[in-house]
Amino acid sequence: MADRRDGPGSGDNEIEIKRLSKVFGQGDAAFRALDDVSLGIRRGEFFTLLGPSGCGKTTLLRLIAGFEQPSAGEVIINGRQVAGLGPNARPVNTVFQNYALFPHMTVADNIGFGLRMLGKPAAEIRETTERMLALVRMEAMAARKPSEISGGQQQRVALARALAPQPRVLLLDEPLSALDLKLRKEMQSELKRLQNETGITFVFVTHDQHEALTMSDRIAVMSGGRILQSGRPTEIYNHPAERFVADFIGDTNFLDVELVAVNGATAEVRLPGGGTRRATLPEGLAPDPGSHVTIVIRPEHASVTEEAADFEGTVEDAVFFGTDTHLNLRLSDAARFTLRRQNTGAGDGAMPEGSRVGVRVADGGIQVLRN
Protein backbone atom coordinates (compact mmCIF):
# COMPACT_ATOMS: atom_id res chain seq x y z
CA MET A 1 0.00 0.00 0.00
CA ALA A 2 2.31 2.72 -1.20
CA ASP A 3 1.57 6.26 -0.17
CA ARG A 4 -0.34 7.98 -2.98
CA ARG A 5 1.67 11.16 -2.40
CA ASP A 6 4.95 9.46 -3.24
CA GLY A 7 5.03 10.60 -6.87
CA PRO A 8 6.39 13.86 -8.23
CA GLY A 9 4.36 17.02 -8.61
CA SER A 10 3.25 17.58 -5.02
CA GLY A 11 3.72 21.15 -3.75
CA ASP A 12 5.41 20.01 -0.53
CA ASN A 13 8.20 18.15 -2.33
CA GLU A 14 11.79 19.33 -1.85
CA ILE A 15 13.00 17.01 -4.60
CA GLU A 16 11.08 15.80 -7.63
CA ILE A 17 12.48 13.07 -9.85
CA LYS A 18 10.66 12.73 -13.18
CA ARG A 19 11.23 9.75 -15.48
CA LEU A 20 14.93 9.69 -14.68
CA SER A 21 17.22 7.25 -16.49
CA LYS A 22 20.96 6.75 -16.53
CA VAL A 23 22.83 4.61 -19.06
CA PHE A 24 26.56 3.97 -18.80
CA GLY A 25 28.46 2.98 -21.94
CA GLN A 26 27.22 2.55 -25.49
CA GLY A 27 26.04 -0.18 -27.83
CA ASP A 28 26.40 -3.75 -26.62
CA ALA A 29 28.35 -2.55 -23.59
CA ALA A 30 25.61 -0.18 -22.44
CA PHE A 31 24.32 -0.67 -18.88
CA ARG A 32 21.05 0.91 -17.70
CA ALA A 33 21.76 1.74 -14.06
CA LEU A 34 18.53 3.72 -13.58
CA ASP A 35 15.36 3.00 -15.53
CA ASP A 36 12.56 5.59 -15.81
CA VAL A 37 12.38 6.47 -12.10
CA SER A 38 9.84 8.98 -10.77
CA LEU A 39 9.82 10.00 -7.13
CA GLY A 40 8.90 12.84 -4.79
CA ILE A 41 10.87 13.57 -1.59
CA ARG A 42 9.15 15.95 0.81
CA ARG A 43 10.63 18.93 2.58
CA GLY A 44 12.15 18.14 5.95
CA GLU A 45 11.80 14.37 5.80
CA PHE A 46 14.30 11.57 6.30
CA PHE A 47 14.02 9.61 3.07
CA THR A 48 15.94 6.38 2.46
CA LEU A 49 16.90 4.67 -0.79
CA LEU A 50 17.18 0.99 0.14
CA GLY A 51 18.38 -1.95 -1.90
CA PRO A 52 21.21 -4.39 -2.62
CA SER A 53 24.47 -3.49 -4.32
CA GLY A 54 23.96 -2.56 -7.96
CA CYS A 55 20.27 -1.68 -7.60
CA GLY A 56 20.75 1.97 -8.67
CA LYS A 57 20.43 3.75 -5.33
CA THR A 58 23.88 5.36 -5.36
CA THR A 59 23.45 6.32 -9.02
CA LEU A 60 20.20 8.09 -8.12
CA LEU A 61 21.94 9.88 -5.23
CA ARG A 62 24.78 11.00 -7.52
CA LEU A 63 22.25 12.32 -10.06
CA ILE A 64 20.60 14.38 -7.32
CA ALA A 65 24.02 15.62 -6.16
CA GLY A 66 25.19 16.53 -9.67
CA PHE A 67 28.15 14.12 -9.76
CA GLU A 68 26.43 12.39 -12.70
CA GLN A 69 24.13 13.79 -15.37
CA PRO A 70 21.00 11.92 -16.50
CA SER A 71 20.56 10.18 -19.83
CA ALA A 72 16.91 11.22 -19.70
CA GLY A 73 14.47 12.80 -17.27
CA GLU A 74 14.44 15.67 -14.78
CA VAL A 75 15.84 16.46 -11.35
CA ILE A 76 14.01 19.32 -9.62
CA ILE A 77 15.14 20.73 -6.25
CA ASN A 78 13.01 23.36 -4.54
CA GLY A 79 11.09 23.89 -7.76
CA ARG A 80 14.23 24.43 -9.89
CA GLN A 81 15.38 22.15 -12.69
CA VAL A 82 18.99 21.24 -11.86
CA ALA A 83 19.79 18.53 -14.43
CA GLY A 84 22.89 19.76 -16.24
CA LEU A 85 24.15 21.79 -13.28
CA GLY A 86 27.26 20.75 -11.36
CA PRO A 87 27.34 19.97 -7.61
CA ASN A 88 28.40 23.50 -6.63
CA ALA A 89 25.34 24.98 -8.34
CA ARG A 90 22.88 22.85 -6.35
CA PRO A 91 21.59 23.49 -2.79
CA VAL A 92 22.85 20.10 -1.59
CA ASN A 93 25.78 18.65 0.31
CA THR A 94 26.99 15.06 0.43
CA VAL A 95 28.45 12.90 3.21
CA PHE A 96 30.45 10.00 1.77
CA GLN A 97 31.33 6.57 3.14
CA ASN A 98 34.95 7.55 3.86
CA TYR A 99 34.08 10.99 5.36
CA ALA A 100 36.85 12.68 3.25
CA LEU A 101 38.17 14.83 6.11
CA PHE A 102 41.35 16.84 5.58
CA PRO A 103 43.99 15.12 7.76
CA HIS A 104 46.14 18.25 8.22
CA MET A 105 43.22 20.37 9.49
CA THR A 106 41.70 20.45 12.96
CA VAL A 107 38.12 19.40 13.56
CA ALA A 108 37.04 23.05 13.68
CA ASP A 109 38.90 23.90 10.47
CA ASN A 110 37.33 20.92 8.69
CA ILE A 111 33.87 22.08 9.69
CA GLY A 112 34.52 25.65 8.55
CA PHE A 113 36.18 24.68 5.27
CA GLY A 114 33.08 24.90 3.08
CA LEU A 115 32.16 28.28 4.53
CA ARG A 116 35.63 29.62 3.73
CA MET A 117 35.30 28.36 0.15
CA LEU A 118 32.02 30.29 -0.07
CA GLY A 119 33.80 33.45 1.04
CA LYS A 120 31.84 33.89 4.28
CA PRO A 121 33.10 36.48 6.81
CA ALA A 122 35.44 35.19 9.53
CA ALA A 123 32.97 36.04 12.30
CA GLU A 124 30.19 34.08 10.58
CA ILE A 125 32.52 31.10 10.02
CA ARG A 126 33.54 31.10 13.68
CA GLU A 127 29.93 31.40 14.92
CA THR A 128 28.64 28.68 12.57
CA THR A 129 31.53 26.35 13.41
CA GLU A 130 30.83 26.71 17.12
CA ARG A 131 27.15 26.02 16.53
CA MET A 132 27.92 22.93 14.46
CA LEU A 133 30.37 21.65 17.07
CA ALA A 134 27.62 21.94 19.68
CA LEU A 135 25.08 20.29 17.36
CA VAL A 136 27.25 17.18 16.93
CA ARG A 137 28.54 17.32 20.53
CA MET A 138 32.18 17.75 19.55
CA GLU A 139 33.09 21.01 21.33
CA ALA A 140 35.87 19.34 23.33
CA MET A 141 37.46 17.94 20.16
CA ALA A 142 37.64 21.20 18.18
CA ALA A 143 41.48 21.43 18.19
CA ARG A 144 42.16 17.77 17.39
CA LYS A 145 43.13 16.32 14.01
CA PRO A 146 41.02 13.57 12.38
CA SER A 147 43.68 10.96 13.24
CA GLU A 148 43.21 11.82 16.93
CA ILE A 149 39.48 11.01 17.09
CA SER A 150 37.43 7.82 16.64
CA GLY A 151 35.55 6.70 13.53
CA GLY A 152 32.22 7.74 15.00
CA GLN A 153 33.61 11.15 15.89
CA GLN A 154 35.03 11.56 12.38
CA GLN A 155 31.58 10.86 11.00
CA ARG A 156 30.11 13.58 13.22
CA VAL A 157 32.69 16.03 11.91
CA ALA A 158 31.80 15.11 8.32
CA LEU A 159 28.14 15.68 9.11
CA ALA A 160 28.86 19.03 10.75
CA ARG A 161 30.94 20.14 7.77
CA ALA A 162 28.15 19.20 5.37
CA LEU A 163 25.49 20.94 7.49
CA ALA A 164 27.47 24.16 8.10
CA PRO A 165 26.54 25.86 4.76
CA GLN A 166 22.86 25.13 5.54
CA PRO A 167 22.01 23.14 2.39
CA ARG A 168 18.39 22.46 1.55
CA VAL A 169 19.23 18.76 1.12
CA LEU A 170 21.83 16.53 2.77
CA LEU A 171 22.75 13.39 0.82
CA LEU A 172 24.26 10.50 2.78
CA ASP A 173 25.95 7.67 0.85
CA GLU A 174 26.09 4.70 3.28
CA PRO A 175 27.90 6.80 5.93
CA LEU A 176 27.59 4.12 8.64
CA SER A 177 29.07 1.21 6.69
CA ALA A 178 32.58 1.53 8.16
CA LEU A 179 31.42 1.52 11.80
CA ASP A 180 31.06 -1.46 14.12
CA LEU A 181 27.57 -2.67 15.06
CA LYS A 182 27.25 -0.89 18.42
CA LEU A 183 28.54 2.42 17.06
CA ARG A 184 26.28 2.13 14.01
CA LYS A 185 23.25 1.88 16.28
CA GLU A 186 24.39 4.90 18.27
CA MET A 187 24.95 6.92 15.09
CA GLN A 188 21.52 5.96 13.75
CA SER A 189 20.01 7.81 16.71
CA GLU A 190 22.42 10.70 16.20
CA LEU A 191 21.51 11.06 12.52
CA LYS A 192 17.80 11.11 13.27
CA ARG A 193 18.36 13.66 16.05
CA LEU A 194 20.35 15.91 13.72
CA GLN A 195 17.70 15.69 11.04
CA ASN A 196 14.95 16.57 13.52
CA GLU A 197 16.90 19.50 14.98
CA THR A 198 17.97 21.02 11.66
CA GLY A 199 14.78 20.34 9.67
CA ILE A 200 16.92 19.69 6.58
CA THR A 201 15.77 17.10 4.06
CA PHE A 202 17.96 13.99 4.42
CA VAL A 203 18.32 11.49 1.57
CA PHE A 204 20.03 8.38 2.92
CA VAL A 205 21.42 5.47 0.88
CA THR A 206 21.84 2.05 2.50
CA HIS A 207 21.61 -1.68 1.90
CA ASP A 208 20.83 -2.25 5.59
CA GLN A 209 17.13 -2.83 6.19
CA HIS A 210 17.43 -2.15 9.93
CA GLU A 211 18.93 1.30 9.33
CA ALA A 212 16.13 2.09 6.90
CA LEU A 213 13.35 0.91 9.21
CA THR A 214 14.63 2.65 12.34
CA MET A 215 15.52 6.07 10.90
CA SER A 216 13.31 6.78 7.91
CA ASP A 217 10.11 8.75 7.52
CA ARG A 218 9.71 6.99 4.17
CA ILE A 219 11.62 4.33 2.22
CA ALA A 220 11.98 3.54 -1.47
CA VAL A 221 13.00 -0.08 -2.11
CA MET A 222 15.03 -0.41 -5.32
CA SER A 223 16.05 -3.30 -7.56
CA GLY A 224 17.34 -3.41 -11.11
CA GLY A 225 17.39 0.37 -11.50
CA ARG A 226 13.72 0.73 -10.55
CA ILE A 227 11.72 1.66 -7.46
CA LEU A 228 9.57 -1.34 -6.57
CA GLN A 229 7.69 0.23 -3.67
CA SER A 230 7.83 3.37 -1.54
CA GLY A 231 6.06 4.38 1.63
CA ARG A 232 6.39 4.59 5.40
CA PRO A 233 8.46 1.87 7.11
CA THR A 234 5.35 0.25 8.58
CA GLU A 235 3.72 0.15 5.12
CA ILE A 236 6.77 -1.37 3.47
CA TYR A 237 7.22 -3.97 6.20
CA ASN A 238 3.60 -4.94 6.86
CA HIS A 239 2.27 -4.58 3.31
CA PRO A 240 5.01 -5.48 0.82
CA ALA A 241 3.57 -5.44 -2.69
CA GLU A 242 6.24 -7.60 -4.34
CA ARG A 243 8.13 -10.72 -3.38
CA PHE A 244 11.50 -8.96 -3.63
CA VAL A 245 10.38 -6.28 -1.14
CA ALA A 246 9.00 -8.85 1.31
CA ASP A 247 12.15 -10.97 1.06
CA PHE A 248 14.63 -8.08 1.28
CA ILE A 249 13.09 -6.42 4.34
CA GLY A 250 12.88 -8.64 7.38
CA ASP A 251 12.42 -12.40 7.77
CA THR A 252 9.36 -13.80 6.09
CA ASN A 253 7.45 -16.92 5.05
CA PHE A 254 6.17 -17.47 1.52
CA LEU A 255 3.33 -19.92 0.90
CA ASP A 256 1.63 -20.83 -2.37
CA VAL A 257 -2.11 -21.03 -1.73
CA GLU A 258 -5.46 -21.02 -3.50
CA LEU A 259 -7.39 -17.76 -3.68
CA VAL A 260 -11.02 -18.50 -2.77
CA ALA A 261 -12.70 -15.11 -3.09
CA VAL A 262 -11.95 -11.42 -3.63
CA ASN A 263 -13.74 -8.57 -1.90
CA GLY A 264 -12.26 -5.17 -2.72
CA ALA A 265 -8.89 -4.78 -0.99
CA THR A 266 -9.11 -8.16 0.75
CA ALA A 267 -9.29 -11.80 -0.27
CA GLU A 268 -10.05 -15.19 1.24
CA VAL A 269 -7.20 -17.69 0.82
CA ARG A 270 -7.04 -21.39 1.59
CA LEU A 271 -4.15 -22.19 3.94
CA PRO A 272 -2.19 -25.49 4.03
CA GLY A 273 -4.49 -26.87 6.75
CA GLY A 274 -7.54 -26.47 4.50
CA GLY A 275 -9.16 -23.59 6.36
CA THR A 276 -9.59 -20.12 4.93
CA ARG A 277 -8.40 -16.77 6.27
CA ARG A 278 -8.64 -13.18 5.16
CA ALA A 279 -5.62 -11.65 3.41
CA THR A 280 -4.75 -8.13 2.27
CA LEU A 281 -4.36 -7.42 -1.44
CA PRO A 282 -1.80 -4.94 -2.81
CA GLU A 283 -3.30 -1.83 -4.36
CA GLY A 284 -4.49 -2.47 -7.90
CA LEU A 285 -4.26 -6.28 -7.67
CA ALA A 286 -7.47 -8.27 -8.32
CA PRO A 287 -6.64 -11.94 -9.00
CA ASP A 288 -9.32 -14.34 -10.15
CA PRO A 289 -10.95 -16.66 -7.59
CA GLY A 290 -9.61 -20.17 -7.97
CA SER A 291 -6.15 -18.99 -9.02
CA HIS A 292 -3.02 -19.73 -7.04
CA VAL A 293 -1.23 -16.84 -5.37
CA THR A 294 1.77 -16.34 -3.09
CA ILE A 295 1.13 -15.04 0.40
CA VAL A 296 3.60 -13.64 2.90
CA ILE A 297 3.42 -14.15 6.68
CA ARG A 298 6.02 -12.58 8.98
CA PRO A 299 7.38 -14.95 11.68
CA GLU A 300 6.21 -12.64 14.47
CA HIS A 301 2.65 -12.69 13.09
CA ALA A 302 2.29 -16.40 13.80
CA SER A 303 2.21 -18.30 17.07
CA VAL A 304 1.97 -21.83 18.42
CA THR A 305 -1.54 -22.74 19.54
CA GLU A 306 -3.28 -25.78 20.96
CA GLU A 307 -6.66 -24.81 19.55
CA ALA A 308 -8.12 -23.09 16.48
CA ALA A 309 -4.97 -23.69 14.46
CA ASP A 310 -4.82 -22.47 10.87
CA PHE A 311 -2.41 -25.29 9.97
CA GLU A 312 0.06 -27.67 11.58
CA GLY A 313 3.77 -28.27 11.26
CA THR A 314 6.58 -30.45 12.55
CA VAL A 315 9.45 -28.80 14.45
CA GLU A 316 12.72 -29.31 12.55
CA ASP A 317 14.86 -27.16 14.85
CA ALA A 318 14.77 -24.22 17.23
CA VAL A 319 17.29 -21.35 17.10
CA PHE A 320 17.83 -19.26 20.24
CA PHE A 321 18.31 -15.49 19.61
CA GLY A 322 18.24 -14.20 23.17
CA THR A 323 15.07 -12.12 23.06
CA ASP A 324 13.21 -14.81 21.15
CA THR A 325 13.50 -18.30 19.68
CA HIS A 326 12.85 -19.12 16.03
CA LEU A 327 10.98 -22.37 15.43
CA ASN A 328 11.56 -23.81 11.97
CA LEU A 329 8.67 -26.03 10.90
CA ARG A 330 7.96 -28.39 8.04
CA LEU A 331 4.36 -28.23 6.86
CA SER A 332 2.25 -31.08 5.47
CA ASP A 333 2.92 -29.98 1.87
CA ALA A 334 6.70 -29.95 2.56
CA ALA A 335 6.80 -26.14 2.71
CA ARG A 336 8.95 -24.60 5.43
CA PHE A 337 7.63 -22.09 7.91
CA THR A 338 9.36 -20.06 10.65
CA LEU A 339 7.71 -18.44 13.65
CA ARG A 340 9.07 -16.57 16.64
CA ARG A 341 8.40 -17.28 20.30
CA GLN A 342 9.35 -14.51 22.69
CA ASN A 343 11.58 -15.57 25.57
CA THR A 344 9.95 -14.33 28.77
CA GLY A 345 12.26 -15.96 31.31
CA ALA A 346 9.95 -18.89 31.98
CA GLY A 347 11.80 -20.92 29.35
CA ASP A 348 13.87 -20.53 26.22
CA GLY A 349 10.91 -20.92 23.85
CA ALA A 350 12.32 -24.13 22.33
CA MET A 351 10.30 -27.24 21.54
CA PRO A 352 11.66 -30.76 20.97
CA GLU A 353 12.60 -31.69 17.42
CA GLY A 354 9.83 -33.70 15.78
CA SER A 355 7.06 -32.07 17.87
CA ARG A 356 3.79 -31.56 16.05
CA VAL A 357 2.43 -28.04 16.67
CA GLY A 358 -0.53 -25.98 15.59
CA VAL A 359 0.04 -22.52 14.08
CA ARG A 360 -2.31 -19.56 14.32
CA VAL A 361 -1.76 -16.43 12.21
CA ALA A 362 -2.70 -13.07 13.70
CA ASP A 363 -5.54 -11.08 12.15
CA GLY A 364 -4.11 -8.88 9.41
CA GLY A 365 -0.94 -10.98 9.24
CA ILE A 366 -1.46 -12.39 5.74
CA GLN A 367 -0.56 -10.43 2.63
CA VAL A 368 -1.03 -11.50 -1.01
CA LEU A 369 1.92 -10.64 -3.25
CA ARG A 370 2.13 -9.66 -6.88
CA ASN A 371 3.60 -12.48 -8.94
Side-chain angles (χ1 to χ4, degrees):
M1 292 185 180
D3 194 317
R4 288 185 177 272
R5 296 178 295 172
D6 285 348
S10 174
D12 63 353
N13 284 341
E14 185 73 70
I15 301 172
E16 296 183 24
I17 305 299
K18 296 184 178 181
R19 307 205 66 177
L20 199 64
S21 295
K22 178 63 179 179
V23 178
F24 292 99
Q26 295 180 344
D28 294 340
F31 170 66
R32 185 172 290 272
L34 210 63
D35 188 10
D36 198 26
V37 169
S38 294
L39 177 69
I41 299 175
R42 300 173 197 146
R43 290 186 178 89
E45 76 174 340
F46 197 121
F47 192 94
T48 296
L49 302 172
L50 173 67
S53 297
C55 71
K57 58 186 186 297
T58 296
T59 298
L60 178 52
L61 194 82
R62 290 177 63 83
L63 288 167
I64 296 172
F67 297 121
E68 301 284 354
Q69 296 300 327
S71 303
E74 298 179 83
V75 178
I76 299 170
I77 301 177
N78 190 33
R80 180 190 179 197
Q81 166 66 261
V82 297
L85 299 180
N88 293 338
R90 304 185 185 200
V92 304
N93 257 345
T94 306
V95 177
F96 300 98
Q97 293 182 35
N98 61 1
Y99 314 142
L101 299 178
F102 297 107
H104 62 286
M105 292 184 184
T106 65
V107 165
D109 287 340
N110 265 283
I111 292 173
F113 176 79
L115 298 172
R116 290 193 296 275
M117 292 299 98
L118 292 173
K120 299 295 183 181
E124 181 181 340
I125 294 172
R126 183 171 56 255
E127 179 184 349
T128 302
T129 298
E130 290 174 354
R131 189 170 69 251
M132 290 297 106
L133 284 166
L135 183 67
V136 298
R137 300 169 181 171
M138 290 285 291
E139 301 99 312
M141 310 289 183
R144 295 190 185 184
K145 301 288 182 62
S147 61
E148 299 171 331
I149 58 179
S150 69
Q153 290 167 337
Q154 289 180 36
Q155 190 212 49
R156 292 184 186 186
V157 176
L159 286 166
R161 183 178 64 182
L163 290 168
Q166 296 182 308
R168 297 193 66 90
V169 178
L170 185 65
L171 307 174
L172 301 109
D173 186 10
E174 302 205 54
L176 308 183
S177 60
L179 305 179
D180 62 56
L181 179 60
K182 184 175 181 181
L183 188 54
R184 286 179 75 173
K185 290 184 176 180
E186 291 176 0
M187 291 309 301
Q188 288 170 18
S189 298
E190 283 294 297
L191 277 177
K192 189 59 182 173
R193 177 185 67 83
L194 288 170
Q195 195 268 332
N196 285 333
E197 290 188 13
T198 61
I200 292 173
T201 303
F202 276 30
V203 182
F204 186 84
V205 162
T206 185
H207 63 272
D208 189 313
Q209 54 175 290
H210 299 292
E211 288 180 358
L213 291 172
T214 55
M215 292 191 292
S216 310
D217 295 316
R218 288 190 303 142
I219 300 169
V221 182
M222 299 187 66
S223 179
R226 291 179 173 270
I227 293 175
L228 300 184
Q229 187 174 359
S230 61
R232 294 188 297 274
T234 52
E235 294 172 334
I236 298 292
Y237 185 84
N238 292 323
H239 302 288
E242 311 220 6
R243 186 180 183 116
F244 179 90
V245 177
D247 199 24
F248 190 77
I249 298 185
D251 298 323
T252 194
N253 297 292
F254 298 103
L255 297 176
D256 294 324
V257 300
E258 178 189 358
L259 188 138
V260 178
V262 176
N263 183 17
T266 63
E268 291 290 325
V269 297
R270 194 176 307 282
L271 297 177
T276 62
R277 288 292 304 274
R278 180 173 295 179
T280 304
L281 289 171
E283 185 177 356
L285 182 65
D288 296 326
S291 61
H292 281 262
V293 296
T294 300
I295 60 172
V296 58
I297 302 172
R298 299 289 188 186
E300 66 272 18
H301 293 160
S303 58
V304 172
T305 183
E306 296 182 357
E307 55 186 28
D310 291 313
F311 50 87
E312 294 184 345
T314 301
V315 177
E316 291 195 324
D317 58 54
V319 183
F320 179 71
F321 280 91
T323 57
D324 54 27
T325 295
H326 291 197
L327 293 180
N328 297 311
L329 312 179
R330 177 76 70 175
L331 306 186
S332 57
D333 60 356
R336 291 186 174 181
F337 191 91
T338 299
L339 59 82
R340 293 176 183 165
R341 302 188 76 193
Q342 187 173 9
N343 298 327
T344 61
D348 62 5
M351 301 188 73
E353 182 179 336
S355 298
R356 191 73 176 165
V357 298
V359 178
R360 179 70 179 178
V361 182
D363 291 341
I366 303 174
Q367 166 84 31
V368 176
L369 298 176
R370 292 190 178 95
N371 291 328

